[in-house]
Amino acid sequence: MKLHVFYLIVCALVALFGTNANARDFTNTSGKTISAEIQSLSGKGEDLKVTLKRADGKVFTIGASTLSDEDQKYIEQFAAKASKGPSAFDELLKGKLVKLEGKKLSKFEITEKPDFYAFYYSASWCGPCRAFTPDLVAFYKENEAASKKFEIIFVSSDNSEDDMEVYMKEDGFPFPGVKFQDAKDKKLRQYAGSGIPCLVLMDREGKVLSDS
């Protein structure tokens, strides 16, 4: 399987998350405009506060009521999206994840549900996997600030639990993986292609957006 396919998917991830994916121009009641993305919301009604982040990394919090009517409508839509219910993967992944903590794998739960999930089907014995994984790891680390919007989930095709653990340690996986004993779950495997490496990007409803 050619690796350029995987690089195209990483490029898609960069396009979605590597920059200010929600960046737009916000205008206050005085007519001053800035380009920023929403980081978080607090309060409600007339006391609603919005925290914005500019492209230069500066973060500041202002009252939503100080922005234009169009911006306030956008913020309302953003809030509605942020407060949506459980994803299609909540039950599927519950109690099945591990993550590298220091030099060992520990139980892991996704506490802040992302908008997108990228399932990475891979194994330590797979040459093309070992060639691609470092780039995926680097991408994830470089875009750590966007990790609340997406999560990469490693699904192992290794021959043993030890092989999976060594693979995650040697390549320094910063993202979680499915426990070895759960990695063959048919519900998890339904998204995989016929070979590995395989990277599948999906939204929180389970719709496949891009795959290798």
Side-chain angles (χ1 to χ4, degrees):
M1 189 174 292
K2 296 181 179 180
L3 289 182
H4 76 270
V5 176
F6 295 91
Y7 290 104
L8 288 175
I9 294 179
V10 169
C11 286
L13 283 167
V14 170
L16 281 170
F17 315 113
T19 59
N20 286 357
N22 293 316
R24 68 189 300 277
D25 289 336
F26 289 88
T27 305
N28 64 17
T29 51
S30 299
K32 184 178 180 180
T33 299
I34 62 167
S35 179
E37 72 167 327
I38 296 176
Q39 291 291 288
S40 63
L41 301 172
S42 60
K44 58 182 179 179
E46 295 182 356
D47 295 324
L48 179 63
K49 304 290 185 182
V50 55
T51 298
L52 301 174
K53 181 180 180 181
R54 296 193 319 202
D56 62 6
K58 184 177 180 179
V59 177
F60 51 94
T61 302
I62 59 175
S65 61
T66 65
L67 297 172
S68 68
D69 291 341
E70 182 181 349
D71 290 336
Q72 291 185 50
K73 289 180 181 178
Y74 175 81
I75 292 170
E76 289 177 4
Q77 294 172 352
F78 182 93
K81 180 180 178 181
S83 62
K84 58 196 167 191
S87 79
F89 305 105
D90 287 351
E91 290 301 319
L92 181 61
L93 297 174
K94 186 176 181 180
K96 296 179 181 178
L97 297 179
V98 291
K99 190 173 183 180
L100 195 60
E101 299 289 347
K103 296 183 178 180
K104 66 177 183 178
L105 294 182
S106 302
K107 292 180 181 179
F108 178 78
E109 293 290 343
I110 299 176
T111 55
E112 189 165 348
K113 303 299 186 292
D115 291 327
F116 301 90
Y117 294 76
F119 284 81
Y120 180 44
Y121 300 90
S122 180
S124 60
W125 50 262
C126 167
C129 298
R130 299 307 292 263
F132 174 71
T133 297
D135 290 328
L136 189 62
V137 167
F139 162 80
Y140 190 92
K141 290 180 177 179
E142 290 168 3
N143 294 278
E144 185 176 359
S147 62
K148 293 180 181 179
K149 300 172 187 173
F150 78 100
E151 186 58 88
I152 296 176
I153 309 293
F154 168 50
V155 185
S156 175
S157 293
D158 281 294
N159 295 317
S160 70
E161 186 173 3
D162 287 342
D163 288 346
M164 171 185 164
E165 184 171 348
V166 170
Y167 182 21
M168 294 183 73
K169 288 180 178 179
E170 287 184 347
D171 284 62
F173 280 40
F175 42 81
V178 176
K179 293 178 182 178
F180 181 78
Q181 60 267 34
D182 294 313
K184 294 183 180 180
D185 188 319
K186 290 183 179 179
K187 291 182 178 179
L188 277 170
R189 289 286 171 180
Q190 66 177 310
Y191 304 107
S194 58
I196 57 171
C198 179
L199 184 62
V200 185
L201 177 64
M202 289 173 281
D203 63 19
R204 60 182 291 116
E205 282 74 41
K207 178 182 178 182
V208 176
L209 303 178
S210 181
D211 67 71
S212 55

